[in-house]
Amino acid sequence: MDERTRADVERAEAAIVEHYPRLVRLAYLVLPPSMGRHRRVLTAHALVQRALPRARRHRPDGGLPAQRGPAAETGYDLVRLRALRLALAYEGRPGRGLPVMPQVWGLRLFPRAGGAEELALDQALSAVPASVRATLGLWHLEGLDEEAARTVLEQAGAPAPDAAQRAAEQLDRETGAGAGAMLNSGEFDPCTVQTRPTDLLRRRQRLRAVAALVAVVAFGAAAAGVWQGVRDRPPRGETTAEQALDPARLVRTPNDQWADTSRVDFTAWPVRGRQAGDQELLGRALRVWAAPPADARITATAGTSTRPPDHPPQLLYAGLIDAVMVVVFHDGERLVRYAEPEDATPTLHFARVDDADLTTGAALVIGRGNGWMRYLLAPWISEVTTRDLLAPAAPPHGLHVAPDGVTDRILAPPMPGSGCGRWPVARFRPSSRVVANAGHADDATFLLADLNDLVPVHLRYVPPPSSGGTPAAGPHEATGAPALRSWARTACSLGSLRGAGVRSVTDWAFAEQRLPEGAGRATWVCSRADTWRGPGSVRIQFLPPAVRPTDPGRIAGRAANTAACSPYGPHVVGQVRWRAASGRWYLLAAGSREVGGVDATGGVRATGNENTLAAPAGPAAPATVTGRLRNGAPVPAFGP
């Protein structure tokens, strides 16, 4: 218990009163976005109010005076540190109970909505740890420099303060120089909120239930004998919340519905697993979801809510997987995987899957271990094989699937720090029944890759434009030889997307370029990762001629929360410094099909009237590269 003198406590109280909005804004920023805005608002207020320390008891008369020491921290520094420490404690604990105060009945509270830039920043913040959000708050809200912020982070118990500051610097670069202004906007102000009612029907049902209970208790105080009869009488009806926790009300899709529906996604999955009828197991899983115990482990993909069920969910699976009892639910927006190891802590994993389709709804990770995982397949998958992206010429390997749709163990991609000698993926072939209905070609196979989320990632490929300059076709499945050769050189960059809630990654070969001094042809690839929550990120990769087919390309630029390399951002320009075999350095640049010229200014001055540019330049000579569309509009090049 952090106890202080009476004077310390009075100074701390004055600091809280004077700087209350500032402290609440900092706590709100640090708390996990997965809590939801209403719960974050209430929790931020509660944590700041709990930041007031206790006064230590008076020392007995005749006691020695306190020894002199370092200068006492100010009242504000004290309460800021305590509020920050309390907010950081919620990291990895989205199910942590709400503090006792304050309480709001019948209303939902939300900060005022910001614009597109504030929304993009909020989404970017949801993908980073609490220590990174705390760093940004100390920089932009508190005005601390790096050294002072690091000291506060250490005192608050934030893990790896140096790594948090590096990640914060990266996020600052990706979101632009206006992050400080946006963090001070109404989007992040939990003291200026809007109110909306909760579920009015559910509230009315609860009020009726409370009124009925009060009446029963009052009546029972007067007539204990009648109370016994009332207690034994079954309830007239369940509230919506109670219905959501009733295993008998779980939605169970018929076995063959997937073959006769226009919505081929998780809603078409039938129930599977030997324990699908185990009401005790299902009820236990629903109760843990609704009110996770203090020791439960909770994982949520970036941008995914961990709120309790508000209606009876769909049951997808219940069974034993590698000595772990597993139950999987689908509530229309999320997958929820409940795992119950023997004599161990239960775990919950949440993942957004709204707007899934034939490919992104084709499988989910039903079990995972040290270096391996298993898929549960959609009922429309007729065949699944595995292959290594780093062995593009090797044939795929067959994979056994149990009658309940669970695959044998599959090697998982290497973890960070363990090298990149392989990158296993699974190739899926859908049933001809859904392929014909969906209008796909005869060979509708597709690749999915595990990135440590509950749902695998769909891999696609867009070939380079033809020599005649005609546009390439839209995204192809990454199963053909050109696609596999491209992915062999970019696969290892997938590791940076682990746990980010990525839905699909597309390799777009947007340009080809002849290298100076007869060094062959290079390919420029934009790898775009789209997330389930909406925003996408891109990496521009430069692929020079390779000695081995798996030689990785060079990262030539990147951006987060961008429409680049999508139908809504089809124009792109990349730049890189390249050294020829002679030892001479060049500035290389290339643009997508509509780019008709490229200009370099600054320390390197060059102009080209095509979509590529190669100019002699030192390895560190400053240069600004800009592409020109055929209509004259400029396209700034991505930087590293």
Side-chain angles (χ1 to χ4, degrees), residues 8 22 78 133 138 200 219 247 274 288 402 440 454 468 499 607:
D8 288 336
R22 177 176 166 185
L78 171 62
R133 297 192 296 273
L138 294 174
L200 297 178
F219 186 74
R274 292 188 177 182
V288 171
H440 285 266
L454 191 54
T607 297

Side-chain angles (χ1 to χ4, degrees), residues 28 110 122 139 203 230 364 397 494-495 574 613 615 618:
Y28 179 82
F110 305 93
D122 190 41
W139 288 350
R203 213 168 78 204
V230 172
L364 61 85
H397 301 281
L494 288 172
L613 176 70

Side-chain angles (χ1 to χ4, degrees), residues 284-517:
R284 195 161 59 245
L286 289 168
R287 290 192 296 273
V288 171
W289 176 7
D295 61 343
R297 294 193 300 272
I298 301 176
T299 302
T301 298
T304 303
S305 169
T306 59
R307 69 178 184 275
D310 54 10
H311 61 273
Q314 177 188 357
L315 176 63
L316 301 186
Y317 185 88
L320 191 66
I321 302 291
D322 296 295
V324 176
M325 201 63 73
V326 176
V327 181
V328 182
F329 302 109
H330 177 236
D331 71 351
E333 176 188 343
R334 301 169 294 169
L335 289 179
V336 182
R337 179 184 181 272
Y338 168 82
E340 185 183 88
E342 293 183 2
D343 302 324
T345 304
T347 65
L348 287 169
H349 193 156
F350 298 83
R352 282 186 63 169
V353 291
D354 43 328
D355 201 27
D357 55 23
L358 183 147
T359 57
T360 54
L364 61 85
V365 177
I366 196 69
R368 190 185 296 280
N370 185 17
W372 58 266
M373 43 81 66
R374 295 182 191 268
Y375 283 128
L376 175 65
L377 304 184
W380 58 82
I381 297 302
S382 61
E383 179 189 22
V384 60
T385 56
T386 62
R387 68 175 311 125
D388 184 357
L389 282 181
L390 299 186
H397 301 281
L399 182 65
H400 176 260
V401 181
D404 63 355
V406 176
T407 69
D408 282 354
R409 291 184 178 185
I410 305 172
L411 286 176
M415 295 303 292
S418 59
C420 187
R422 56 178 172 77
W423 203 279
V425 294
R427 173 174 171 164
F428 296 78
R429 182 181 299 279
S431 166
S432 58
R433 298 169 70 180
V434 295
V435 170
N437 292 341
H440 285 266
D442 292 338
D443 183 11
T445 57
F446 53 90
L447 293 186
L448 298 182
D450 173 39
L451 290 185
N452 211 38
D453 280 327
L454 191 54
V455 181
V457 174
H458 183 200
L459 302 184
R460 302 186 299 175
Y461 173 71
V462 179
S466 68
S467 57
T470 57
H476 295 189
E477 298 301 342
T479 52
L484 293 174
R485 287 194 295 268
S486 176
W487 271 107
R489 302 193 63 185
T490 61
C492 293
S493 65
L494 288 172
S496 64
L497 302 174
R498 281 188 177 88
V502 175
R503 172 178 178 149
S504 64
V505 182
T506 302
D507 261 10
W508 173 32
F510 66 87
E512 292 181 316
Q513 180 177 21
R514 288 191 177 277
L515 297 177
E517 303 185 16

Side-chain angles (χ1 to χ4, degrees), residues 11-27:
R11 283 195 296 269
E13 181 183 24
I16 289 178
V17 172
E18 181 180 358
H19 301 289
Y20 187 78
R22 177 176 166 185
L23 291 164
V24 175
R25 187 188 289 263
L26 177 63

